[in-house]
Amino acid sequence: MAVENVCIIGSGNWGSAIAKIVGETTSKHSDVFNTTVRQWVFEETINGEKLTDIINTKHENVKYLPGVTLPSNVVAIPDVVEACKDATLIVFVLPHQFVRGVCEKMKGHFAPNARAISLIKGLEITSDGTRLFSEEISRVLDIPCSALSGANIADEVAREKFCESTVGCTNMQDGAVFHKLFDTPYFRINVIQDHVGVQLCGALKNVVAVGAGLSDGLGYGSNTKAAIIRRGLMEMRKFGQTFFGDVVKTETFFESCGVADLITTCSAGRNRKVAEAFAKTGQPIEKLEAELLNGQKLQGTLTAQEVHEFLSARGMVDQFPLFHTVYRIIYEGLDTQAIVRDI
């Protein structure tokens, strides 16, 4: 059998952490994978040097994952077409707003038998409906796309602190390949067939994390945060069952992509961090995002807005009080105390 050619699309802190894992596993399983891993890196200049040159010579993404050595078989490429040439496994780990444009550029340049996997946490929600990013990738590229999500803070993963993650994959043969691609002694993978639930959890937990951050900023304790997490998990499950039916399995919410990721995101992560600062300072979210996130984007507030529009179009906002309260605090000037008063 021919070996799989792996391409990683994206190079932020999570993309770089995944590049470290994939560089290791492809070298370990050279009978399955080509040991050269191509990574598309959006070109930036850092202290007069191109970021791709820094990665390829120093084997470190000094901007997004400083202090972590990347395997030498990971090759940074600034041209997405060149990066995906002849790829059979394409790993998407980039900000969701760039998915469509990047996929359009890639069409026709990868192997005809290619499969993709989305590590993008979130989904596109409008008043008309929802669209998973795996579906968007699959639609534009006309290839199957799975999903990976879990309680995975990039810096901790990159420093090999034990964690788990969940792969959602309708084709379990592809699931076995992705298990081999990502599973390590410190990054344990479980493969399930509910790729919808995996992605739904990855999106909605960010809204709950904003609520947890508001609670922290107000100085409430562990009991309050536990209540927000519990109520958030219930609303996540209710959203999945209401709008996706039996496609989303209850068991998925107890995977790493579900309750574990929810706990982690409400304890750490960018959504909690910025929401805490918002509650303490009252400064605009956009200003805090620019100051605190080193060029990265916040997803929880955007998802809260999208969920609100989706539920409003169906007259159902009152059935999801935590989601609704987070939206009103961030976008309508509702006082932050409502995070415990109105849920």
Side-chain angles (χ1 to χ4, degrees), residues 276-294:
E276 178 185 30
F278 177 83
K280 286 181 175 179
T281 68
Q283 294 181 355
I285 285 290
E286 295 79 7
K287 183 176 186 293
L288 295 169
E289 182 183 62
E291 291 176 355
L292 299 175
L293 297 187
N294 191 31

Side-chain angles (χ1 to χ4, degrees), residues 12 14 16 24 51 62 92 107 130 139 143 256 272 293 304-305 313:
W14 186 216
S16 299
E24 294 169 357
L51 182 56
V62 295
F92 283 89
K107 284 197 297 188
T130 62
R139 181 188 68 82
I143 59 175
S256 180
R272 191 219 62 83
L293 297 187
Q305 183 179 36

